[in-house]
Amino acid sequence: RQARVGVGDPVLEPRPGPKPLPHPDPDDILFHPRRGCRAVLATLGAGKEPTAADYGVNVWLDSCRSGSSAGRAAPGRLVLSFLFYLSAVLSKGIAVTFPLVLWVLDIYPLGRLPADPRRWLSGRAPRVIGEKLPFFACSAVFGVVGWKAWGEAGSIKTFAEFGWPERIADTLYALAFYLWKTLCPLGLTHLYRPLESRDFLSAPIALSALLLAALCWTAWRLRRDFPGVAAAGAVYVATLFPLLAVFNAGEHLAADRY
């Protein structure tokens, strides 16, 4: 009918689609908690589950900046950050390692925790660590529930089916794989099958291990002049940990959506 429309005939207008949700304003998140909560919950309802964790980090940083000079985080925004984390972990299991990200941020760039673990029991360090105990408790609960659910669904392999050498080999390859695909996003696919050979002397595993060793050595050498390199590496590993074969060994090696 549209192909035969002539002069003077009514034109069929396409039905308007749904309006895109506005991206939450950072000012709403930090300075207007009620408006910020509504915006984040709206994005969660639209399938934007990582948003809650992203804004949880933002509120955490702002709570630390807004706290006292002794390093105590602002209580209200600390609670708000936990609520955002709860929303994130309810939406996606990858958020279970979010407390580790907060731990790294407290070391650098916030400087609320010393880099030396031997000093974590002195000064203000115990109080800073105590602020994250609710996050770790929530992470442990959802981690156990998720592990049991995956196991009952047959989504992950048991340690009897897939031993530690194979898990370590896949983990080394996956950590290098995501870096490589970020720098060179060619030949992408939705899922990647496991390696045919998990021999540590095979080219994929050996090259991945050498690359990761070189990156770790570089971060260690630059730890005083450029501590952000080591902090970024720690956040990278912590964020990917739930997806690595050490923790989650399934039928695929990696996925581009991660």
Side-chain angles (χ1 to χ4, degrees):
R1 181 183 174 187
Q2 288 180 335
R4 296 165 54 186
V5 170
V7 178
D9 291 337
V11 178
L12 297 179
E13 296 291 338
R15 184 174 297 177
K19 295 182 179 180
L21 286 171
H23 196 70
D25 187 351
D27 288 341
D28 285 347
I29 299 296
L30 298 179
F31 304 115
H32 304 283
R34 289 185 180 179
R35 253 187 286 167
C37 283
R38 288 197 297 268
V40 170
L41 290 176
T43 57
L44 284 173
K48 304 295 184 182
E49 60 272 355
T51 305
D54 296 339
Y55 283 103
V57 172
N58 291 338
V59 176
W60 175 271
L61 293 174
D62 187 72
S63 70
C64 296
R65 288 194 296 265
S66 304
S68 64
S69 58
R72 189 188 303 273
R77 291 176 183 176
L78 190 61
V79 173
L80 184 59
S81 179
F82 176 78
L83 293 178
F84 284 136
Y85 172 62
L86 183 60
S87 300
V89 80
L90 283 169
S91 302
K92 202 74 170 178
I94 192 176
V96 294
T97 53
F98 174 76
L100 295 177
V101 175
L102 297 183
W103 196 295
V104 175
L105 292 177
D106 273 338
I107 296 175
Y108 182 86
L110 296 176
R112 303 174 71 231
L113 279 177
D116 187 356
R118 294 172 296 182
R119 299 168 55 193
W120 287 350
L121 298 179
S122 60
R124 67 179 184 182
R127 182 175 63 247
V128 174
I129 294 174
E131 294 171 355
K132 284 176 282 299
L133 291 182
F135 293 86
F136 279 103
C138 184
S139 173
V141 171
F142 281 92
V144 172
V145 171
W147 177 272
K148 292 187 65 176
W150 288 338
E152 293 176 359
S155 300
I156 57 177
K157 298 180 180 179
T158 64
F159 287 93
E161 299 172 324
F162 201 65
W164 278 109
E166 292 82 5
R167 291 174 184 265
I168 294 174
D170 279 4
T171 296
L172 292 175
Y173 182 79
L175 286 173
F177 173 87
Y178 286 117
L179 289 176
W180 169 249
K181 286 298 182 181
T182 300
L183 298 175
C184 186
L186 300 177
L188 302 180
T189 183
H190 63 294
L191 289 176
Y192 296 87
R193 291 296 179 183
L195 297 173
E196 294 182 0
S197 174
R198 294 184 173 88
D199 186 357
F200 285 96
L201 297 180
S202 62
I205 306 300
L207 291 176
S208 299
L210 290 175
L211 174 62
L212 295 174
L215 292 176
C216 291
W217 180 83
T218 302
W220 176 259
R221 291 297 301 269
L222 299 177
R223 69 188 186 280
R224 300 188 186 279
D225 297 330
F226 300 98
V229 176
V235 170
Y236 171 71
V237 175
T239 305
L240 277 178
F241 184 76
L243 311 174
L244 299 177
V246 170
F247 182 77
N248 181 13
E251 296 298 329
H252 64 278
L253 177 63
D256 283 335
R257 65 184 182 275
Y258 302 139

